[in-house]
Amino acid sequence: MNNSSERNKENTLAFLKALEDYDLEKVVQSFAEDGVHINPYSSGLFPEGTKGQDGVRSYWEPVFQNFEKMEFPVEEIYSMNEANMTFVKFEGKIKLKNDGGWYKNNYYATFKFNEEGKITEYVEIFNPIVAAKGFGLLDQIK
């Protein structure tokens, strides 16, 4: 495996760790200046994503304020050398504030990187029905 493949895997895991650590600056700095975060199954209930480091900051900052704890154990991670990207399967375990219990969902994500190892595209795929149920939003599904 080449160096960029290992670096991309390490950067993928570092991004998830930064989320777990509530390290907003590390999350933001993981992205290229024009990097994008895409949630293709937002289903009108969740943010569709964002663009740029300022967008990443404003996307994640309220997330950290709303949850007591977040864990993202990785089940599988693969590097795709030709595309300078990784694919990762992980679980999301999020402890809701005010004794709201735990929200859990399975996630699949792709990360594309530039030559410097910064994220140019992060696509997060999750089950929106499970998410809506976990956050008490089922009645908002149209």
Side-chain angles (χ1 to χ4, degrees):
M1 193 171 294
N2 69 31
N3 289 342
S4 66
S5 296
E6 280 305 312
R7 181 203 63 206
N8 292 344
K9 284 172 128 177
E10 288 172 11
N11 290 352
T12 297
L13 297 173
F15 170 79
L16 295 173
K17 176 84 169 101
L19 292 178
E20 290 179 338
D21 292 344
Y22 287 44
D23 189 338
L24 182 60
E25 282 313 305
K26 193 165 189 173
V27 169
V28 170
Q29 293 306 312
S30 298
F31 280 81
E33 285 287 334
D34 60 349
V36 294
H37 172 157
I38 302 167
N39 295 327
Y41 298 116
S42 59
S43 305
L45 300 175
F46 306 101
E48 292 179 8
T50 191
K51 183 174 183 176
Q53 288 183 338
D54 289 339
V56 169
R57 179 178 281 102
S58 59
Y59 179 97
W60 284 104
E61 193 167 27
V63 171
F64 295 148
Q65 297 167 10
N66 289 325
F67 303 124
E68 193 170 312
K69 182 176 185 177
M70 298 190 299
E71 299 174 3
F72 300 105
V74 172
E75 296 175 26
E76 298 177 57
I77 184 168
Y78 303 99
S79 179
M80 294 170 264
N81 300 344
E82 302 80 23
N84 210 22
M85 66 187 290
T86 59
F87 169 85
V88 63
K89 177 183 176 190
F90 60 97
E91 185 178 11
K93 298 177 183 179
I94 298 171
K95 187 170 186 2
L96 306 176
K97 286 191 172 181
N98 304 316
D99 295 319
W102 286 84
Y103 155 70
K104 296 179 183 176
N105 207 336
N106 293 314
Y107 291 81
Y108 301 87
T110 58
F111 291 78
K112 289 184 182 176
F113 297 92
N114 64 17
E115 293 303 314
E116 290 78 44
K118 300 282 189 176
I119 300 167
T120 58
E121 180 185 275
Y122 167 58
V123 179
E124 182 181 287
I125 300 166
F126 59 91
N127 184 327
I129 301 298
V130 171
K133 184 177 179 186
F135 296 118
L137 302 172
L138 275 177
D139 61 330
Q140 294 184 36
I141 295 175
K142 301 196 182 342

